[in-house]
Amino acid sequence: MSRIVGIDLGSTNSVVAVMEGDTPVVIPTKEGSNTVPSIVAFSRRGERLVGALAKRQAATNPEGTFYGIKRLIGRKRDDELVDSVAKHAPYKIVSAPNGDAQVQAGGRVLSPQEISAAILSHLKENAEQYLGEAVKDAVITVPAYFDDPQRQATRDAGRIAGLNVLRVLNEPTAASLAYGQLGQMTVEKVIAVYDLGGGTFDISILRLAQGVFEVLATAGDTFLGGEDFDLRIIQWLAASFKQDTGVDPMADLLALQRLREAAEKAKCELSREKQTEIQLPFLATTPKGPSHLKKTLTRDTFEQLVGDLVERTRTPCEEALEMAGLDPGQIADVLLVGGQTRTPLVQQVVMEIFKRDPNRYVNPDEVVGLGAGIQAGILCGDVKEIVLLDVTPLSLGVETRDGGFIKMIERGATVPCRRSRVFTTTANNQTKVEVHVLQGEREIADANKSLARFELVGIPPSPRGTPQIEVTFDIDSNGIASVSAKDLSSGLQQQVVVTPTSGLSPEEIERGIAEAEMFAEQDRRRVAAARTRSRLEGLLQSNQKTFDEFSQLLSAEQTQEIKQAFASCRSALASEDQETIQQALDRLGEIARMMSEVALYDPNSLGVS
Ligand code: AMP
């Protein structure tokens, strides 16, 4: 059986891990880093760049660089939270025909699933190189608070990347698996996982006991994360720059990208230092000429800027404690997950909520990836004796005739689970019923998220209230729902399985797969070209040296020929085309042979006896 990898597909950074014996290990990138920036860019030449390479060029290609995509996946364009991203993102967010949020890159429109697939392909390739074998199966983590369309969209992203997603695992559950692996599980205890990453916040309460990981409660905010912290600093810097110069740097994409990078750097520095200097020379051109930004940001000011964001994590924590029926004093340990938990104010608020110091032994950047690796190990059969009892984060139900919402599966139910309920007709001789599936906590259907609608047709005419329509909801261990309806009274079994109203159609997924393969091919060509180019570079240098040494022995025609060959090699070095570079390399080989023949006749040269 080939290896299964575990992937933490983060808003800011992603991690891929695998079991080595009985230990989960993070697979490093070729550059030696354990995390890959969750950034994808399309250059003006249509090339796709992923990870560190995409991050490096972000400042010069802001509208073609996509980050924070996890905030858009599985969401509608008219979602007000998507609007808030659109307001500050340098790239354009548009609506797909079915209303899903999509991004625009140059002349192309891409779904968040396709962008995420590019990151997943990159991680897959990294893993394949590291393991020396093809990787087909994966476990991918998602915030526990992700709803059904977000989970389905994440799974689709995996499919586009050529991965068979065996499990969509909740991030806090993954973190607790890794924590359990640290050997901190000898006694039964209840822990809290406080996960504040780049784009989302999750809080989960879990009971760990002899190999059983039971999620007692989960809550969160899929639109709260480090990017909001960065934005507060950006707005603070921009307001002060505007006051000084009259120019709003946020109106210029390049300046905005520079502000974004500087803000994140300052934020991270303030986790260690009490203050930091932010300098951005030539940020904008004002009527008086080029203007520079220079500001000192103290930790106190930063805490004032982001205080309300940190406070926003308090309510979900209290809700989760209440759902679990526990007091903070009953929590034995609090795990901090996600880079943003490094901010001292966050740690202080966590301490206030849970009345204890958070655990300092887990690496907040890697713990979710490692947990995904352990889950992959469980699926492979490499890790035994672990039972995961996860819960559904939001209630699922159907709309009633009067626009109300009947919950079929309550939030917090342990998954996988199945619930059925029998409904009937409201009119005489009604031959069809509509089932509108929704997810949410509100009592009015409209206020919840619509997942799907379908009709059960062909019910034999009968007085109202007679037919028995059994509606069944299933949630699998990925937290993904399917719904069916059956007409029990007629004996005729009709069953309809829901396809979601959002997400990608099978054709779109197929198109995505084909494009992902095309890009993978392009990536392979680029790697091959890079290798040949580096051989050409080395050989050009050594031949140039030989030429300098023996040029006096060469005829004028030979000199001319060699110089021409060197010139074409230099221009081939700037090419991305493997064939052009290979031709230059072949030509250089001929030149090298010619020079070695001449050198052999040099009486001063070595090699002549
Ligand atoms: P994640 O999604 O877990 O990779 O979290 C990434 C978020 O953590 C980003 O918003 C980072 O800017 C933030 N982050 C990373 N390191 C630090 C740090 N030392 N202090 C504050 N925030 C950080």
Side-chain angles (χ1 to χ4, degrees):
M1 187 179 183
S2 69
R3 305 279 278 274
I4 306 174
V5 294
I7 295 177
D8 166 15
L9 181 61
S11 326
T12 315
N13 292 301
S14 296
V15 172
V16 55
V18 71
M19 288 304 288
E20 296 273 21
D22 54 6
T23 313
V25 293
V26 169
I27 297 180
T29 64
K30 278 169 266 174
E31 295 83 25
S33 164
N34 276 3
T35 57
V36 170
S38 304
I39 305 180
V40 178
F42 291 90
S43 72
R44 284 174 192 94
R45 283 160 51 186
E47 267 178 352
R48 188 182 74 181
L49 303 166
V50 184
L53 283 180
K55 188 170 185 178
R56 222 170 284 151
Q57 56 83 69
T60 53
N61 175 26
E63 67 279 17
T65 305
F66 302 99
Y67 55 85
I69 285 296
K70 191 166 170 180
R71 289 183 157 195
L72 305 179
I73 201 161
R75 284 188 185 271
K76 297 284 181 201
R77 175 62 186 88
D78 64 5
D79 189 324
E80 64 182 287
L81 300 169
V82 171
D83 253 347
S84 72
V85 177
K87 233 181 263 161
H88 303 291
Y91 50 83
K92 260 186 125 168
I93 305 174
V94 295
S95 174
N98 66 0
D100 284 2
Q102 298 200 313
V103 296
Q104 203 169 336
R108 312 175 66 215
V109 173
L110 295 157
S111 61
Q113 290 88 319
E114 286 170 289
I115 306 272
S116 303
I119 301 163
L120 291 170
S121 297
H122 185 80
L123 296 170
K124 174 176 183 274
E125 237 182 76
N126 253 359
E128 286 175 339
Q129 278 199 1
Y130 176 88
L131 297 170
E133 63 182 49
V135 169
K136 293 192 200 77
D137 300 317
V139 169
I140 302 182
T141 59
V142 293
Y145 219 62
F146 256 22
D147 62 18
D148 188 83
Q150 290 169 308
R151 285 167 195 268
Q152 299 230 24
T154 304
R155 208 171 51 173
D156 288 345
R159 285 177 57 196
I160 294 173
L163 285 168
N164 183 16
V165 183
L166 298 179
R167 183 65 53 88
V168 175
L169 179 67
N170 286 342
E171 286 163 10
T173 316
S176 69
L177 276 178
Y179 170 81
Q181 182 81 18
L182 283 176
Q184 313 210 12
M185 251 199 70
T186 39
V187 285
E188 174 176 332
K189 57 172 131 176
V190 178
I191 64 162
V193 180
Y194 180 104
D195 181 352
L196 187 59
T200 55
F201 170 64
D202 260 335
I203 177 75
S204 296
I205 316 273
L206 297 103
R207 180 183 289 123
L208 317 187
Q210 276 90 48
V212 179
F213 290 68
E214 184 184 4
V215 181
L216 302 178
T218 178
D221 186 336
T222 48
F223 255 78
L224 177 62
E227 280 166 32
D228 302 296
F229 287 60
D230 300 348
L231 187 60
R232 293 290 168 86
I233 302 178
I234 295 170
Q235 286 166 333
W236 178 76
L237 290 172
S240 133
F241 188 81
K242 191 171 174 195
Q243 197 174 27
D244 294 347
T245 64
V247 172
D248 178 9
M250 288 180 75
D252 173 52
L253 284 186
L254 288 182
L256 181 60
Q257 184 56 32
R258 289 182 66 201
L259 282 171
R260 183 169 286 117
E261 285 171 11
E264 192 191 2
K265 185 162 165 268
K267 174 187 77 175
C268 295
E269 275 166 13
L270 289 174
S271 296
R272 285 190 315 271
E273 314 292 339
K274 289 277 188 203
Q275 65 174 53
T276 179
E277 289 289 318
I278 303 169
Q279 291 196 29
L280 290 170
F282 304 102
L283 185 63
T285 309
T286 64
K288 288 191 205 135
S291 285
H292 319 297
L293 180 146
K294 188 167 188 294
K295 289 282 286 180
T296 301
L297 179 59
T298 63
R299 193 186 280 176
D300 283 348
T301 307
F302 170 63
E303 291 183 349
Q304 282 165 24
L305 293 175
V306 301
D308 64 306
L309 297 176
V310 184
E311 279 302 316
R312 260 170 65 191
T313 67
R314 212 183 268 269
T315 310
C317 290
E318 289 165 358
E319 261 176 43
L321 281 168
E322 200 187 315
M323 270 168 73
L326 295 169
D327 291 329
Q330 291 169 280
I331 305 292
D333 215 346
V334 182
L335 306 192
L336 293 181
V337 179
Q340 194 53 62
T341 58
R342 291 204 170 93
T343 288
L345 181 64
V346 172
Q347 299 182 3
Q348 189 189 314
V349 168
V350 171
M351 236 175 88
E352 283 170 24
I353 302 169
F354 293 98
K355 310 204 178 346
R356 61 178 317 115
D357 253 337
N359 182 302
R360 301 195 184 278
Y361 298 104
V362 296
N363 178 336
D365 301 322
E366 296 176 10
V367 67
V368 171
L370 290 171
I374 296 173
Q375 173 68 60
I378 297 172
L379 295 175
C380 286
D382 292 346
V383 179
K384 293 197 179 65
E385 288 166 31
I386 290 184
V387 179
L388 281 186
L389 297 173
D390 229 321
V391 295
T392 171
L394 295 162
S395 303
L396 276 169
V398 291
E399 181 174 357
T400 54
R401 185 151 192 90
D402 56 1
F405 178 58
I406 292 189
K407 288 181 183 169
M408 296 276 296
I409 296 183
E410 286 275 350
R411 165 188 192 191
T414 302
V415 294
C417 66
R418 161 180 280 220
R419 303 272 191 282
S420 292
R421 185 170 170 153
V422 175
F423 293 86
T424 188
T425 52
T426 50
N428 286 330
N429 302 324
Q430 191 176 330
T431 55
K432 65 176 183 185
V433 289
E434 191 192 57
V435 181
H436 184 197
V437 183
L438 299 128
Q439 189 163 35
E441 303 314 313
R442 304 279 296 274
E443 293 190 0
I444 308 160
D446 259 4
N448 293 318
K449 192 164 192 174
S450 167
L451 295 187
R453 268 175 205 277
F454 66 91
E455 282 183 340
L456 182 66
V457 290
I459 303 167
S462 53
R464 70 192 190 117
T466 320
Q468 291 197 295
I469 319 282
E470 187 188 59
V471 177
T472 303
F473 276 60
D474 272 294
I475 302 187
D476 65 13
S477 26
N478 302 308
I480 292 177
S482 64
V483 183
S484 60
K486 203 193 272 180
D487 177 13
L488 299 178
S489 48
S490 67
L492 285 171
Q493 301 233 333
Q494 287 201 45
Q495 197 161 339
V496 186
V497 177
V498 175
T499 41
T501 44
S502 63
L504 299 181
S505 65
E507 298 75 45
E508 285 168 322
I509 292 180
E510 282 309 313
R511 195 198 73 194
I513 293 172
E515 283 193 2
E517 277 166 8
M518 185 192 88
F519 277 118
E521 180 52 36
Q522 181 200 332
D523 292 349
R524 273 192 290 277
R525 278 205 304 271
R526 186 143 24 96
V527 169
R531 283 204 190 112
T532 321
R533 195 183 306 118
S534 105
R535 273 180 63 208
L536 177 64
E537 209 166 12
L539 275 176
L540 184 60
Q541 259 179 26
S542 60
N543 278 293
Q544 182 81 53
K545 216 167 139 238
T546 315
F547 174 70
D548 293 344
E549 232 170 279
F550 295 104
S551 58
Q552 74 283 4
L553 304 176
L554 297 162
S555 69
E557 295 85 59
Q558 283 173 322
T559 304
Q560 169 83 346
E561 195 184 338
I562 292 171
K563 281 187 172 166
Q564 266 174 5
F566 283 172
S568 62
C569 284
R570 272 190 287 275
S571 70
L573 280 178
S575 165
E576 289 290 334
D577 180 38
Q578 157 79 3
E579 210 166 299
T580 312
I581 307 170
Q582 186 60 51
Q583 276 169 7
L585 195 63
D586 295 344
R587 181 79 187 104
L588 198 59
E590 290 163 17
I591 296 293
R593 271 191 296 282
M594 181 165 95
M595 286 199 292
S596 68
E597 276 165 23
V598 174
L600 286 174
Y601 286 108
D602 173 12
N604 300 319
S605 121
L606 292 170
V608 173
S609 53

